[in-house]
Each structure stands twice: as structure tokens, then as C-alpha cells.
């Protein structure tokens, strides 16, 4: 009985989320509709958050209580950066899908092939980033409910299953978007390079 309710809830949740994305999705995101919607991501600070050496140094320099407080702040910041990167991946994927559909039967200027590469990079990133976000949420809940347990190391969230690296996957999106923007022209490339 309970299993049926859980299954029904999950199906309902999936349908609501799917319809939500369909309603609020940007159908024809042109190159002019990309840069204003992108969120700032400081890659230097992000790499600092998931750096193993930095965490080990903090753990050595701080008391366990201070390290726990610092890790909680760093965890919240990493959650925010992951959310921003997923948002940017959504925006860039919509742009890539528009370029791919617009050039479905002709690829004389390279937009179709670069759009397809951007779509693949964004999908891979979004799935991996979702796993990272889930891990961060579970750690956050665990840190709040069990304050006596040691604080987790955020550097372990950078890689998921050894095949997905958060920073390298986002860098792959940036590179694919820059290639696509070059196909659209120098103005588009300059605007996107400034935003990313």
C-alpha cells in the first residue's frame, strides 16, 4: 500500500516537473537571449572549494568545531555554485537545441555540429551536477541532524563515480559554447566570452 503511494507520488512529481519545464522553457533561445540570462560563476573560488589540499589545511589549522562551521559555509556556497552552473547549462542547452533545430538539414556554417556538441556537454553536466547536488543536500541534512559527526570533505564531491568531474565538465560546456558562438560571429563570441 505504501509502495503504491510512493510510486504514485514519484510519477506525479515527474509529470509536474515535466509540465513545469515545458511551460517555462524558452522555445527559441537565439544568440541574443543567452548572455542576459547567464549567472556569474567564479571558477577560481569554485576550485578553491573543492580543493583537497585546502580542506586538509583547514582541518589541520582549525579546531573540529570551527572546521565544521567553516565546512557548513563552504557547503552552502558549493550548493549555490552548483545551482548556478546547472542554470547556465540549461540556458546554453536551450540555445544549442535552437541552433540544432534551425540547421537540421544544413550544416554549412558549423552551427549544427557545434550545437550538437553543446547539447551533449550540457546534458552530461546536468546529470552529473544533479548527483553532486543530491550528495550536498544529504550532507547538509546530516550535518544539521547529527552535529557530533565529523564534517564531510567537499573535495570528494568534485568527482562522481570517477567518470564525471564537476569542474572539467563545466569547462567542457564553456568550450562548446565558445565554439558555437564563433560560428555565430565575432560579436556573439565576444559577448559570450565576457559572460562566461
Amino acid at each position: 500500500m505504501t509502495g503504491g503511494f510512493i510510486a504514485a507520488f514519484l510519477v506525479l512529481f515527474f509529470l509536474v516537473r515535466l509540465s513545469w519545464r515545458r511551460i517555462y522553457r524558452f522555445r527559441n533561445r537565439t544568440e541574443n537571449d543567452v548572455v542576459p540570462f547567464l549567472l556569474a560563476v567564479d571558477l577560481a573560488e569554485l576550485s578553491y572549494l573543492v580543493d583537497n589540499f585546502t580542506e586538509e589545511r583547514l582541518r589541520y589549522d582549525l579546531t573540529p568545531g570551527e572546521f565544521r562551521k567553516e565546512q557548513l559555509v563552504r557547503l552552502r556556497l558549493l550548493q549555490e555554485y552548483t545551482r548556478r552552473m546547472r542554470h547556465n547549462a540549461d540556458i546554453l542547452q536551450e540555445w544549442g537545441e535552437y541552433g540544432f533545430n534551425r540547421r537540421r538539414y544544413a550544416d554549412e556554417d558549423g552551427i549544427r555540429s557545434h550545437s550538437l556538441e553543446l547539447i551533449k556537454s550540457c546534458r552530461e553536466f546536468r546529470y552529473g551536477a544533479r548527483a553532486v547536488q543530491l550528495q550536498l543536500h544529504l550532507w547538509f541534512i546530516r550535518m544539521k541532524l547529527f552535529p557530533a559527526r565529523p564534517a564531510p570533505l567537499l573535495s570528494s564531491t568534485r568527482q562522481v563515480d570517477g567518470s564525471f568531474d564537476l569542474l572539467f565538465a563545466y569547462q567542457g560546456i564553456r568550450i562548446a559554447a565558445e565554439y558555437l558562438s564563433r560560428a555565430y560571429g565575432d560579436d556573439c563570441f565576444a559577448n559570450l566570452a565576457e559572460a562566461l
Side-chain angles (χ1 to χ4, degrees):
M1 184 83 168
T2 306
F5 284 126
I6 291 173
F9 174 75
L10 290 176
V11 168
L12 182 65
F13 178 76
F14 176 75
L15 291 175
V16 167
R17 178 149 169 82
L18 185 67
S19 61
W20 182 269
R21 277 192 62 82
R22 288 217 181 254
I23 291 170
Y24 283 98
R25 187 177 176 142
F26 221 115
R27 284 276 177 228
N28 296 321
R29 186 175 294 277
T30 65
E31 61 273 8
N32 299 325
D33 300 323
V34 174
V35 174
F37 292 95
L38 292 176
L39 299 175
V41 175
D42 185 2
L43 291 178
E45 187 171 3
L46 180 64
S47 64
Y48 170 78
L49 287 173
V50 294
D51 182 42
N52 192 19
F53 177 72
T54 303
E55 276 188 325
E56 289 297 329
R57 190 185 47 128
L58 285 172
R59 190 160 58 172
Y60 179 74
D61 291 344
L62 302 174
T63 65
E66 291 172 337
F67 179 68
R68 184 176 185 76
K69 287 179 185 176
E70 181 68 23
Q71 282 297 86
L72 193 57
V73 170
R74 295 175 82 232
L75 188 137
R76 287 181 172 168
L77 191 57
L78 186 57
Q79 283 178 325
E80 177 62 24
Y81 275 125
T82 308
R83 185 193 64 80
R84 289 181 186 185
M85 290 187 299
R86 276 199 59 214
H87 170 82
N88 289 349
D90 285 340
I91 300 296
L92 293 170
Q93 183 175 346
E94 289 173 358
W95 178 41
E97 288 170 352
Y98 171 74
F100 181 78
N101 291 332
R102 202 174 96 195
R103 301 281 204 289
R104 182 172 295 215
Y105 303 110
D107 192 25
E108 62 274 348
D109 53 2
I111 290 178
R112 182 175 179 265
S113 60
H114 292 308
S115 295
L116 186 60
E117 188 61 37
L118 180 61
I119 292 167
K120 288 179 184 177
S121 297
C122 289
R123 281 186 183 153
E124 175 189 331
F125 177 81
R126 285 180 35 237
Y127 294 143
R130 209 171 272 141
V132 169
Q133 282 181 316
L134 178 63
Q135 182 66 46
L136 292 173
H137 286 300
L138 291 175
W139 280 350
F140 181 78
I141 291 169
R142 189 179 88 182
M143 288 179 76
K144 287 295 190 178
L145 293 178
F146 305 108
R149 294 189 73 178
L153 296 178
L154 300 181
S155 58
S156 63
T157 60
R158 179 176 173 169
Q159 290 188 343
V160 177
D161 294 334
S163 62
F164 175 80
D165 187 291
L166 187 68
L167 294 177
F168 290 150
Y170 190 69
Q171 191 66 19
I173 290 174
R174 292 179 65 197
I175 291 169
E178 287 176 0
Y179 277 124
L180 180 58
S181 66
R182 277 194 193 274
Y184 275 101
D186 291 336
D187 289 340
C188 182
F189 175 74
N191 290 339
L192 190 68
E194 188 176 307
L196 287 176

